[in-house]
Short mmCIF file of all heavy atoms in Angstrom, two decimals:
data_model
loop_
_atom_site.label_atom_id
_atom_site.label_comp_id
_atom_site.label_asym_id
_atom_site.label_seq_id
_atom_site.Cartn_x
_atom_site.Cartn_y
_atom_site.Cartn_z
N ASN A 1 66.32 11.50 16.20
CA ASN A 1 67.62 11.06 16.70
C ASN A 1 67.78 9.61 16.73
O ASN A 1 68.53 9.06 17.54
CB ASN A 1 67.88 11.71 18.03
CG ASN A 1 68.00 13.23 17.99
OD1 ASN A 1 68.54 13.74 17.06
ND2 ASN A 1 67.42 13.87 18.99
N LYS A 2 67.12 8.83 15.90
CA LYS A 2 67.35 7.39 15.78
C LYS A 2 68.21 7.19 14.56
O LYS A 2 67.99 7.77 13.48
CB LYS A 2 65.99 6.68 15.61
CG LYS A 2 65.13 6.72 16.88
CD LYS A 2 63.86 5.83 16.62
CE LYS A 2 63.01 5.72 17.86
NZ LYS A 2 61.82 4.89 17.62
N PRO A 3 69.16 6.22 14.67
CA PRO A 3 69.94 5.87 13.52
C PRO A 3 69.08 5.35 12.38
O PRO A 3 68.00 4.72 12.66
CB PRO A 3 70.92 4.78 14.08
CG PRO A 3 70.93 5.00 15.46
CD PRO A 3 69.53 5.57 15.91
N PHE A 4 69.45 5.65 11.12
CA PHE A 4 68.65 5.24 9.99
C PHE A 4 68.47 3.74 9.99
O PHE A 4 67.36 3.20 9.70
CB PHE A 4 69.43 5.68 8.68
CG PHE A 4 68.56 5.54 7.51
CD1 PHE A 4 67.35 6.18 7.36
CD2 PHE A 4 68.97 4.68 6.48
CE1 PHE A 4 66.66 6.09 6.15
CE2 PHE A 4 68.20 4.47 5.39
CZ PHE A 4 67.10 5.20 5.20
N TYR A 5 69.51 2.90 10.28
CA TYR A 5 69.47 1.46 10.29
C TYR A 5 68.37 1.01 11.25
O TYR A 5 67.70 -0.01 11.11
CB TYR A 5 70.69 0.82 10.51
CG TYR A 5 71.23 0.85 11.90
CD1 TYR A 5 70.81 -0.07 12.85
CD2 TYR A 5 72.05 1.82 12.34
CE1 TYR A 5 71.28 -0.03 14.16
CE2 TYR A 5 72.56 1.93 13.65
CZ TYR A 5 72.09 0.94 14.49
OH TYR A 5 72.48 1.00 15.82
N GLN A 6 68.18 1.76 12.42
CA GLN A 6 67.25 1.31 13.42
C GLN A 6 65.83 1.48 12.92
O GLN A 6 64.95 0.69 13.28
CB GLN A 6 67.43 2.19 14.75
CG GLN A 6 66.62 1.68 15.89
CD GLN A 6 66.88 2.47 17.15
OE1 GLN A 6 67.93 3.12 17.25
NE2 GLN A 6 65.96 2.43 18.14
N ILE A 7 65.58 2.63 12.23
CA ILE A 7 64.24 2.81 11.65
C ILE A 7 63.89 1.67 10.71
O ILE A 7 62.84 1.18 10.68
CB ILE A 7 64.15 4.14 10.92
CG1 ILE A 7 64.10 5.29 11.98
CG2 ILE A 7 62.89 4.23 10.09
CD1 ILE A 7 63.92 6.61 11.41
N MET A 8 64.92 1.27 9.87
CA MET A 8 64.71 0.18 8.90
C MET A 8 64.33 -1.04 9.64
O MET A 8 63.44 -1.81 9.25
CB MET A 8 65.96 0.01 8.12
CG MET A 8 66.39 1.18 7.26
SD MET A 8 65.39 1.41 5.72
CE MET A 8 65.99 -0.05 4.82
N LYS A 9 64.97 -1.34 10.74
CA LYS A 9 64.73 -2.54 11.54
C LYS A 9 63.38 -2.53 12.12
O LYS A 9 62.62 -3.51 12.13
CB LYS A 9 65.84 -2.70 12.59
CG LYS A 9 65.74 -3.98 13.33
CD LYS A 9 66.91 -4.24 14.39
CE LYS A 9 66.77 -5.50 15.21
NZ LYS A 9 67.86 -5.59 16.16
N GLU A 10 62.99 -1.40 12.70
CA GLU A 10 61.73 -1.30 13.31
C GLU A 10 60.55 -1.48 12.38
O GLU A 10 59.44 -1.94 12.70
CB GLU A 10 61.56 0.10 14.05
CG GLU A 10 62.48 0.22 15.24
CD GLU A 10 62.42 1.60 15.81
OE1 GLU A 10 61.75 2.39 15.24
OE2 GLU A 10 63.09 1.82 16.86
N LEU A 11 60.75 -1.07 11.10
CA LEU A 11 59.77 -1.07 10.16
C LEU A 11 59.70 -2.40 9.38
O LEU A 11 58.78 -2.65 8.59
CB LEU A 11 59.88 0.08 9.18
CG LEU A 11 59.68 1.49 9.71
CD1 LEU A 11 60.01 2.51 8.66
CD2 LEU A 11 58.16 1.66 10.12
N ASP A 12 60.72 -3.21 9.69
CA ASP A 12 60.83 -4.45 8.92
C ASP A 12 59.71 -5.36 8.98
O ASP A 12 59.39 -6.17 8.04
CB ASP A 12 62.13 -5.20 9.32
CG ASP A 12 62.54 -6.21 8.24
OD1 ASP A 12 62.58 -5.82 7.00
OD2 ASP A 12 62.81 -7.34 8.63
N SER A 13 58.91 -5.31 10.06
CA SER A 13 57.80 -6.10 10.35
C SER A 13 56.45 -5.49 9.89
O SER A 13 55.37 -6.04 10.07
CB SER A 13 57.66 -6.54 11.75
OG SER A 13 57.51 -5.44 12.62
N ALA A 14 56.57 -4.28 9.33
CA ALA A 14 55.35 -3.58 8.90
C ALA A 14 54.69 -4.30 7.80
O ALA A 14 55.19 -4.86 6.86
CB ALA A 14 55.72 -2.14 8.50
N LYS A 15 53.38 -4.25 7.84
CA LYS A 15 52.51 -4.88 6.80
C LYS A 15 52.00 -3.83 5.82
O LYS A 15 51.51 -2.86 6.22
CB LYS A 15 51.38 -5.58 7.45
CG LYS A 15 51.71 -6.79 8.35
CD LYS A 15 50.62 -7.54 8.89
CE LYS A 15 51.02 -8.71 9.78
NZ LYS A 15 49.85 -9.40 10.36
N THR A 16 52.13 -4.09 4.58
CA THR A 16 51.65 -3.19 3.49
C THR A 16 50.15 -3.40 3.38
O THR A 16 49.72 -4.58 2.99
CB THR A 16 52.41 -3.43 2.20
OG1 THR A 16 53.75 -3.28 2.43
CG2 THR A 16 51.95 -2.45 1.14
N VAL A 17 49.46 -2.37 3.47
CA VAL A 17 47.95 -2.44 3.31
C VAL A 17 47.58 -2.17 1.88
O VAL A 17 46.89 -2.76 1.17
CB VAL A 17 47.19 -1.51 4.27
CG1 VAL A 17 45.78 -1.59 4.04
CG2 VAL A 17 47.54 -1.97 5.74
N ASP A 18 48.22 -1.03 1.40
CA ASP A 18 47.85 -0.54 0.07
C ASP A 18 48.84 -1.15 -0.91
O ASP A 18 50.06 -0.98 -0.83
CB ASP A 18 48.03 1.06 0.02
CG ASP A 18 47.43 1.67 -1.19
OD1 ASP A 18 47.23 0.90 -2.15
OD2 ASP A 18 47.07 2.92 -1.12
N LYS A 19 48.25 -1.92 -1.90
CA LYS A 19 49.11 -2.64 -2.84
C LYS A 19 49.19 -1.93 -4.24
O LYS A 19 49.75 -2.38 -5.17
CB LYS A 19 48.52 -4.05 -3.07
CG LYS A 19 48.47 -4.93 -1.78
CD LYS A 19 49.87 -5.32 -1.41
CE LYS A 19 49.81 -6.37 -0.31
NZ LYS A 19 51.14 -6.86 0.10
N ARG A 20 48.55 -0.74 -4.31
CA ARG A 20 48.52 -0.02 -5.60
C ARG A 20 49.93 0.40 -5.99
O ARG A 20 50.78 0.62 -5.13
CB ARG A 20 47.54 1.16 -5.48
CG ARG A 20 46.11 0.88 -5.39
CD ARG A 20 45.28 2.14 -5.26
NE ARG A 20 45.55 2.77 -3.96
CZ ARG A 20 45.10 4.09 -3.61
NH1 ARG A 20 44.38 4.66 -4.58
NH2 ARG A 20 45.35 4.57 -2.47
N PRO A 21 50.12 0.40 -7.34
CA PRO A 21 51.46 0.87 -7.83
C PRO A 21 51.77 2.31 -7.31
O PRO A 21 50.84 3.15 -7.14
CB PRO A 21 51.25 0.79 -9.34
CG PRO A 21 50.15 -0.02 -9.68
CD PRO A 21 49.25 0.10 -8.43
N ILE A 22 53.02 2.62 -7.18
CA ILE A 22 53.45 3.89 -6.76
C ILE A 22 54.08 4.77 -7.93
O ILE A 22 54.98 4.24 -8.53
CB ILE A 22 54.46 3.84 -5.61
CG1 ILE A 22 53.94 3.02 -4.49
CG2 ILE A 22 54.94 5.23 -5.20
CD1 ILE A 22 54.91 2.85 -3.29
N ILE A 23 53.50 5.85 -8.22
CA ILE A 23 54.09 6.77 -9.26
C ILE A 23 54.97 7.78 -8.43
O ILE A 23 54.55 8.48 -7.62
CB ILE A 23 53.00 7.57 -10.00
CG1 ILE A 23 51.96 6.61 -10.52
CG2 ILE A 23 53.65 8.36 -11.14
CD1 ILE A 23 52.45 5.50 -11.53
N VAL A 24 56.32 7.77 -8.89
CA VAL A 24 57.20 8.56 -8.14
C VAL A 24 57.63 9.74 -9.07
O VAL A 24 58.20 9.53 -10.10
CB VAL A 24 58.50 7.76 -7.74
CG1 VAL A 24 59.40 8.62 -6.88
CG2 VAL A 24 58.11 6.45 -7.08
N SER A 25 57.29 10.95 -8.52
CA SER A 25 57.66 12.16 -9.37
C SER A 25 59.10 12.52 -8.94
O SER A 25 59.27 13.10 -7.77
CB SER A 25 56.72 13.22 -9.04
OG SER A 25 57.00 14.44 -9.66
N PHE A 26 60.06 12.34 -9.72
CA PHE A 26 61.41 12.53 -9.43
C PHE A 26 61.81 13.94 -9.87
O PHE A 26 61.73 14.22 -11.04
CB PHE A 26 62.28 11.51 -10.08
CG PHE A 26 63.76 11.55 -9.72
CD1 PHE A 26 64.27 10.87 -8.53
CD2 PHE A 26 64.65 12.39 -10.40
CE1 PHE A 26 65.55 10.94 -8.19
CE2 PHE A 26 66.01 12.41 -9.98
CZ PHE A 26 66.43 11.68 -8.93
N SER A 27 62.18 14.83 -8.90
CA SER A 27 62.43 16.21 -9.23
C SER A 27 63.84 16.46 -9.82
O SER A 27 64.18 17.40 -10.53
CB SER A 27 62.30 17.10 -8.08
OG SER A 27 63.31 16.87 -7.07
N GLY A 28 64.85 15.49 -9.55
CA GLY A 28 66.17 15.67 -9.89
C GLY A 28 66.99 16.21 -8.81
O GLY A 28 68.25 16.41 -8.98
N GLY A 29 66.42 16.35 -7.61
CA GLY A 29 67.13 16.81 -6.48
C GLY A 29 67.53 15.69 -5.51
O GLY A 29 67.09 14.57 -5.66
N LYS A 30 68.31 16.04 -4.49
CA LYS A 30 68.80 15.03 -3.52
C LYS A 30 67.77 14.49 -2.64
O LYS A 30 67.70 13.28 -2.32
CB LYS A 30 69.98 15.53 -2.71
CG LYS A 30 71.23 15.69 -3.61
CD LYS A 30 72.49 16.13 -2.74
CE LYS A 30 73.70 16.23 -3.62
NZ LYS A 30 74.93 16.49 -2.88
N SER A 31 66.76 15.23 -2.17
CA SER A 31 65.68 14.76 -1.39
C SER A 31 64.89 13.83 -2.19
O SER A 31 64.49 12.70 -1.60
CB SER A 31 64.79 15.94 -1.00
OG SER A 31 65.47 16.81 -0.03
N SER A 32 64.61 14.14 -3.36
CA SER A 32 63.83 13.25 -4.27
C SER A 32 64.50 11.97 -4.52
O SER A 32 63.98 10.86 -4.54
CB SER A 32 63.50 13.94 -5.58
OG SER A 32 62.68 13.24 -6.42
N ALA A 33 65.83 12.03 -4.65
CA ALA A 33 66.65 10.82 -4.86
C ALA A 33 66.68 9.89 -3.64
O ALA A 33 66.52 8.72 -3.82
CB ALA A 33 68.14 11.22 -5.23
N LEU A 34 66.76 10.52 -2.46
CA LEU A 34 66.73 9.70 -1.23
C LEU A 34 65.33 9.01 -1.15
O LEU A 34 65.26 7.85 -0.63
CB LEU A 34 67.05 10.62 -0.03
CG LEU A 34 67.00 9.82 1.31
CD1 LEU A 34 67.84 8.58 1.39
CD2 LEU A 34 67.36 10.82 2.42
N MET A 35 64.36 9.77 -1.44
CA MET A 35 63.03 9.11 -1.40
C MET A 35 62.92 7.88 -2.26
O MET A 35 62.41 6.86 -1.91
CB MET A 35 61.92 10.16 -1.89
CG MET A 35 60.55 9.53 -1.96
SD MET A 35 59.26 10.68 -2.57
CE MET A 35 59.88 10.90 -4.27
N CYS A 36 63.53 7.88 -3.44
CA CYS A 36 63.57 6.78 -4.37
C CYS A 36 64.24 5.55 -3.62
O CYS A 36 63.81 4.45 -3.78
CB CYS A 36 64.22 7.07 -5.66
SG CYS A 36 63.43 8.32 -6.63
N HIS A 37 65.37 5.90 -3.04
CA HIS A 37 66.10 4.85 -2.31
C HIS A 37 65.23 4.27 -1.21
O HIS A 37 65.25 3.03 -1.04
CB HIS A 37 67.40 5.49 -1.67
CG HIS A 37 68.15 4.48 -0.85
ND1 HIS A 37 68.87 3.41 -1.35
CD2 HIS A 37 68.45 4.41 0.52
CE1 HIS A 37 69.48 2.78 -0.44
NE2 HIS A 37 69.27 3.36 0.69
N LEU A 38 64.53 5.06 -0.47
CA LEU A 38 63.68 4.55 0.61
C LEU A 38 62.58 3.70 0.05
O LEU A 38 62.25 2.63 0.65
CB LEU A 38 63.05 5.71 1.35
CG LEU A 38 64.03 6.56 2.26
CD1 LEU A 38 63.25 7.65 2.98
CD2 LEU A 38 64.81 5.69 3.23
N LEU A 39 62.01 4.06 -1.10
CA LEU A 39 60.92 3.28 -1.66
C LEU A 39 61.41 1.89 -2.16
O LEU A 39 60.63 0.92 -2.20
CB LEU A 39 60.33 3.93 -2.87
CG LEU A 39 59.49 5.24 -2.53
CD1 LEU A 39 59.19 6.06 -3.81
CD2 LEU A 39 58.25 4.84 -1.85
N GLU A 40 62.68 1.84 -2.45
CA GLU A 40 63.31 0.43 -2.82
C GLU A 40 63.77 -0.35 -1.57
O GLU A 40 64.06 -1.49 -1.75
CB GLU A 40 64.43 0.72 -3.83
CG GLU A 40 64.06 1.28 -5.17
CD GLU A 40 63.16 0.34 -5.92
OE1 GLU A 40 63.25 -0.88 -5.72
OE2 GLU A 40 62.31 0.86 -6.71
N THR A 41 63.84 0.25 -0.42
CA THR A 41 64.43 -0.46 0.75
C THR A 41 63.50 -0.59 1.86
O THR A 41 63.58 -1.64 2.61
CB THR A 41 65.68 0.25 1.14
OG1 THR A 41 65.48 1.59 1.40
CG2 THR A 41 66.81 0.13 0.16
N LEU A 42 62.63 0.37 2.20
CA LEU A 42 61.80 0.22 3.28
C LEU A 42 60.74 -0.89 3.03
O LEU A 42 60.09 -0.97 1.97
CB LEU A 42 61.03 1.59 3.54
CG LEU A 42 61.92 2.70 4.09
CD1 LEU A 42 61.06 3.96 4.26
CD2 LEU A 42 62.51 2.30 5.51
N PRO A 43 60.45 -1.71 4.04
CA PRO A 43 59.61 -2.87 3.79
C PRO A 43 58.17 -2.52 3.43
O PRO A 43 57.56 -3.35 2.67
CB PRO A 43 59.57 -3.58 5.25
CG PRO A 43 60.01 -2.53 6.22
CD PRO A 43 60.96 -1.67 5.41
N GLN A 44 57.60 -1.45 3.85
CA GLN A 44 56.26 -1.10 3.44
C GLN A 44 56.14 -0.73 2.01
O GLN A 44 54.99 -0.58 1.49
CB GLN A 44 55.65 -0.04 4.34
CG GLN A 44 56.31 1.37 4.23
CD GLN A 44 57.31 1.50 5.25
OE1 GLN A 44 58.21 0.64 5.44
NE2 GLN A 44 57.32 2.67 6.00
N TYR A 45 57.27 -0.45 1.30
CA TYR A 45 57.27 0.00 -0.08
C TYR A 45 58.04 -0.97 -1.08
O TYR A 45 57.68 -0.98 -2.20
CB TYR A 45 57.90 1.38 -0.24
CG TYR A 45 57.26 2.46 0.60
CD1 TYR A 45 58.04 3.20 1.54
CD2 TYR A 45 55.93 2.75 0.53
CE1 TYR A 45 57.52 4.20 2.33
CE2 TYR A 45 55.36 3.74 1.31
CZ TYR A 45 56.18 4.54 2.20
OH TYR A 45 55.59 5.43 2.95
N ARG A 46 59.00 -1.66 -0.60
CA ARG A 46 59.96 -2.29 -1.57
C ARG A 46 59.37 -3.33 -2.41
O ARG A 46 59.90 -3.51 -3.49
CB ARG A 46 61.19 -2.85 -0.74
CG ARG A 46 60.72 -4.04 0.21
CD ARG A 46 61.89 -4.38 1.07
NE ARG A 46 61.56 -5.38 2.07
CZ ARG A 46 62.20 -5.61 3.25
NH1 ARG A 46 63.19 -4.84 3.54
NH2 ARG A 46 61.79 -6.52 4.05
N ASP A 47 58.30 -3.97 -2.03
CA ASP A 47 57.74 -5.07 -2.88
C ASP A 47 56.60 -4.52 -3.78
O ASP A 47 56.05 -5.36 -4.50
CB ASP A 47 57.07 -6.12 -2.00
CG ASP A 47 58.27 -6.93 -1.25
OD1 ASP A 47 59.38 -6.92 -1.85
OD2 ASP A 47 58.02 -7.41 -0.16
#
């Protein structure tokens, strides 16, 4: 029950430990699509 923007803010200071490339298996569904969006926006994944 936390707003999505609040989770983004809380994770903004997170440090990425694993630097390996991410292979994203896109199924073509909406859950998979949202995952892609999170990977591009959440601080632990976006770079």
Side-chain angles (χ1 to χ4, degrees):
N1 295 319
K2 288 185 179 181
F4 189 64
Y5 74 86
Q6 185 177 343
I7 287 184
M8 298 284 288
K9 184 177 181 180
E10 290 174 357
L11 292 173
D12 199 47
S13 61
K15 294 182 179 179
T16 301
V17 176
D18 196 335
K19 299 288 187 179
R20 290 177 293 173
I22 301 174
I23 309 300
V24 187
S25 179
F26 187 89
S27 70
K30 290 186 175 181
S31 292
S32 187
L34 178 53
M35 176 182 68
C36 296
H37 176 68
L38 294 180
L39 289 170
E40 293 296 331
T41 53
L42 289 178
Q44 65 266 48
Y45 303 124
R46 64 188 176 205
D47 294 328

